[in-house]
Structure formats: C-alpha cells, structure tokens
Amino acid sequence: MSSATILIHSIPVDPLTGAIAVPIYQTSTFVQDAPGINKGYDYARSGNPTRETLENIIAALEKGSTGAAFASGLAAIDAVLKLLQQGDEILAVDDIYGGAFRLFTHIYQKFGINVNYVDTSRAENVFNAITPKTKLIWIETPTNPTLKVSDIRAIAAIAKTGGCLLCVDNTFASPALQQPLILGADIVVHSATKYLGGHSDLIAGIVVTKTKELGEKIKFVQNASGAILSPFDSFLVIRGIETLHLRVKQHCDNAQLVAEFLQSHPDVDRVYYPGLKAHFNHDIAARQSKGFGGVISFTLKDDTEESATAFVTSTQYFKLAESLGGVKSLLCHPAQMTHKSVPAEKRKSAGVADSLIRLSIGLEDAEDLLADLEQAFEKLKISRLSTEVSVAGAQAANSQVSLNQDH
C-alpha cells in the first residue's frame, strides 16, 4: 500500500456517527461517571478527541511513538527544551530559524542552558563540538533560510555516542519527504503552520518522539505548561494533512523549475536549493529524502539590502509575507524579517547575506511564477539604471559647480 493511501486511511471515521470528517469536540470539560471514572477525557487541556486524533496521525506519519500538538511551532520547540536542566548545553545548527535563536539565546541561556552553534552540514563539526555537557543536538534539515542539509543518520550516530538526544526540525521537508526518526533521530518537531496545515490559515506546532518514555515526558510538559492546540485548529491541520502528499509533490515540481531558472539568471549570484546538483549536500538530500521541498533562497549579484527590498516589493504572484508552505507563493527578506532577531555578524557568518531572498513556492502554474520573477528582475534593473543616471547627473552637476568656482 502506498504512503498516500496509508495517510488518507489513517484518518479515522467517527465511530459514534460515521462522519467521514473528524469531528471538532469544542468543549472545555467532560462529564464523569464518578470521580476519576470517565470516557478517557476529563479536562480539555489534558486531552481532547480532535487533538488526540491529530497527534496519532502525525505520530504514524513520522513513524514515531507519541505525538503532541501545541499552539505554535515555538511552543513545540519550547516543550523540547523543557526536557533540559540548568548546566546542560545545546549544540544547534548555525543557520537556525530566527524564532528558535531568540528562544534559545534570550530565554533559556539566562536559565543556565548554554547553546553552541555550528555548521551541521558537515557531521565532523558536530562530533568536534560535543562536550560532556551537551544533552541535545538541534538541527534543521533543510535549514531556514539557506537550505543547508545535514546527514541525519551520521549525526544520530554521533548523538548516541555522546549520550545526547537528537531533535530534527522537519518543517521544510514534512513527513511526506523525510522521516528523521527512521534515520535515528529521537525527536521531530514541526511548525504545522507550514506544510502540514498547508493553507496559511492556522498557527500550530507538533512534537513526535521515537520512544513512549520520551513521549510521556513531552506530554507531561504539554499538560503542565498548557500551550495546547485548540480543537478547531487541530481539525484544520488534519484537513491539511489529507492533501499533504499531493501538495508537496507540486511544491517540489514547481520549486525545481524555479531553482533552475534562478541558477541561470544573470542577476543572481547564488541559489540555495537541495534539488540542484551544485548544492553542497545534494547527494545526502537525495539519499535521506523523497524530494527537495518547496523553499528556495537566492542572493543577488548586487548584494545590498536596498536591492533585496526593491525586488521583494516588485512581485505580483509572490506575496511579501512571513511564513511558508501555503498554497500561494510567498517571498521574504530574512535579514529584515524572519532573521531580524539574529545579530548581523552572526547572520552573515551563517550565510544569510544582505541580499538573500527566500521563496516559498506555491501551487500556481510554474510558468506564471517564472514570469513574475522575471518582471521583478526587470524592474530591479530599471531601478538600478535610474539610480546610476541620478548619481552620474549629481556628480556632473557638482563638477560644473566646482569648475565655475575655480573660474
């Protein structure tokens, strides 16, 4: 049976009514037969049938033991960090999502949990950076926004040798393309806001653990901290998952065409996309994933914030917005948007240049997306020429003034 068929039929028919769609149990509490005797639920923070269905579906998709749904991707990350204690260290990918960097650096470091950032696209960097205090290795693969790919299986072996947990942020790939737990990871997190939900209409986070024991710890944090996903948003994620495989396939197909177009464009300096053979870890991506995803980043030859701003405000179909993974194509300028909280020197050392632009490729016709990008490049060229003419005119005027003064 294919993975798509398994996915669709893992979403249960309601046993009470036969409803083909998962019901939304919009309730805060549940009537009990006697104190402590109930039908499996007592209070909606601790458990809700709609949320539980989502948690079981995503655990099955990721081939894990336990799933837990949270109110946002950052709430899911926060739950994983609460497994640590004062004095522990996190070894994290250097090209990390700005929100995760903010959480790690500005929240948890003041509680005595230190973070060491390294380029995890080379497994030997991870091996060399582990210390006796390292308790968690945190990677995104592909990363946000420079699409670095890390060898999950190799890093999982290093984590096991070092006696620490490996958590993989699988948001960009989704379980339709990549299943880190099979490759040796201990924990997977998702911003379900992105590809799992798929329609830019919700905020949600997911944690999936390999073992039941680890899952119980995450579920304890979920209940104790209370950052749960609502029944309605749980329903929306389930509805998004129903079409995940079809959507991701089209995202990937469109992205490959856009990446190849950008790679050959004279105004582009560098393209970041694992589907290109020129990508540093293309072979690893091909080995551990079923596809290369729908996110592309690129830098302009004119590597300035001004040029990037001009470009991202010139597109028609690509909408300037935070987030990714939706039906409509989006673009953003990480230096001013998603990664603004990362210090400039650290951002640039991780490869996030001033002109880096991130594209989330949607489900539009690929030819229309290419045409939109081309017209934005044309506008950028006209703007640049106009600026050059203005500068030349100003210089000529200044020269004439100087000449007149000399006489």
Side-chain angles (χ1 to χ4, degrees):
M1 190 184 301
S2 73
S3 56
T5 303
I6 292 172
L7 164 63
I8 290 170
H9 289 278
S10 69
I11 301 173
V13 172
D14 178 40
L16 183 63
T17 65
I20 198 72
V22 175
I24 302 170
Y25 286 88
Q26 194 67 46
T27 183
S28 62
T29 193
F30 301 84
V31 175
Q32 302 185 30
D33 298 328
I37 300 175
N38 53 59
K39 296 177 176 62
Y41 307 94
D42 54 13
Y43 188 61
R45 172 171 42 76
S46 304
N48 174 280
T50 312
R51 190 175 81 235
E52 183 178 64
T53 298
L54 168 62
E55 292 170 339
N56 291 338
I57 290 168
I58 193 63
L61 278 178
E62 287 285 10
K63 307 299 183 186
S65 166
T66 307
F70 293 86
S72 69
L74 276 170
I77 296 171
D78 182 70
V80 175
L81 298 191
K82 284 174 178 169
L83 298 175
L84 304 176
Q85 58 187 1
Q86 187 176 21
D88 289 347
E89 288 184 355
I90 303 169
L91 182 59
V93 59
D94 60 346
D95 176 25
I96 195 170
Y97 164 53
F101 175 85
R102 183 175 56 236
L103 181 66
F104 286 15
T105 304
H106 298 295
I107 302 296
Y108 278 93
Q109 279 197 341
K110 71 181 180 181
F111 295 137
I113 296 174
N114 294 319
V115 188
N116 183 16
Y117 296 96
V118 299
D119 179 0
T120 62
S121 64
R122 297 181 184 273
E124 59 268 27
N125 293 343
V126 178
F127 179 82
N128 293 332
I130 284 183
T131 75
K133 292 184 178 181
T134 305
K135 301 302 177 184
L136 176 66
I137 298 175
W138 188 279
I139 64 173
E140 302 168 10
T141 183
T143 61
N144 180 11
T146 63
L147 287 299
K148 291 178 182 175
V149 170
S150 298
D151 189 331
I152 298 172
R153 193 181 297 277
I155 295 175
I158 294 169
K160 186 175 181 180
T161 301
C164 50
L165 297 172
L166 171 61
C167 182
V168 178
D169 186 330
N170 201 30
T171 298
F172 272 31
S174 89
L177 299 180
Q178 181 173 269
Q179 294 166 319
L181 298 181
I182 293 178
L183 298 171
D186 301 289
I187 305 171
V188 167
V189 298
H190 286 274
S191 172
T193 309
K194 314 306 193 296
Y195 289 104
L196 293 178
H199 293 78
S200 304
D201 57 6
L202 63 95
I203 300 290
I206 300 286
V207 177
V208 181
T209 63
K210 180 187 293 186
T211 67
K212 182 179 179 181
E213 178 185 9
L214 201 50
E216 288 173 350
K217 292 179 180 179
I218 292 292
K219 296 292 282 186
F220 176 84
V221 171
Q222 181 192 42
N223 184 48
S225 296
I228 57 167
L229 189 62
S230 73
F232 184 69
D233 285 341
S234 296
F235 166 81
L236 288 178
V237 178
I238 293 169
R239 188 184 67 172
I241 288 175
E242 288 180 330
T243 59
L244 178 66
H245 282 75
L246 284 174
R247 287 187 289 103
V248 168
K249 182 181 183 302
Q250 191 61 42
H251 286 304
C252 291
D253 289 348
N254 281 355
Q256 188 69 37
L257 293 173
V258 171
E260 291 171 0
F261 163 80
L262 291 170
Q263 189 178 43
S264 62
H265 200 283
D267 292 330
V268 172
D269 181 47
R270 185 172 179 182
V271 181
Y272 301 87
Y273 185 64
L276 297 175
K277 291 184 178 179
H279 187 279
F280 173 63
N281 276 346
H282 169 77
D283 292 342
I284 292 175
R287 186 168 68 243
Q288 69 186 17
S289 303
K290 298 175 184 176
F292 302 109
V295 179
I296 303 166
S297 290
F298 66 97
T299 54
L300 300 169
K301 284 191 174 175
D302 180 14
D303 185 25
T304 64
E305 188 173 291
E306 291 74 20
S307 291
T309 300
F311 186 93
V312 299
T313 54
S314 296
T315 54
Q316 298 171 349
Y317 298 126
F318 284 90
K319 303 302 183 184
L320 178 61
E322 304 271 359
S323 200
L324 55 102
V327 171
K328 294 180 180 178
S329 292
L330 304 175
L331 83 170
C332 77
H333 183 225
Q336 296 183 87
M337 297 170 71
T338 59
H339 287 64
K340 190 175 181 179
S341 62
V342 181
E345 64 278 6
K346 178 169 182 55
R347 189 173 67 231
K348 291 178 181 179
S349 68
V352 185
D354 286 340
S355 71
L356 186 84
I357 295 167
R358 190 189 73 189
L359 305 178
S360 172
I361 308 300
L363 304 184
E364 302 91 343
D365 189 284
E367 291 303 315
D368 293 328
L369 296 180
L370 297 181
D372 189 22
L373 293 172
E374 184 56 57
Q375 67 83 29
F377 279 119
E378 286 300 315
K379 285 183 180 178
L380 182 62
K381 188 180 298 183
I382 293 170
S383 174
R384 188 184 304 124
L385 289 173
S386 176
T387 300
E388 290 173 356
V389 169
S390 297
V391 170
Q395 290 174 342
N398 289 336
S399 297
Q400 185 62 47
V401 169
S402 299
L403 186 61
N404 291 338
Q405 289 174 342
D406 290 340
H407 288 288

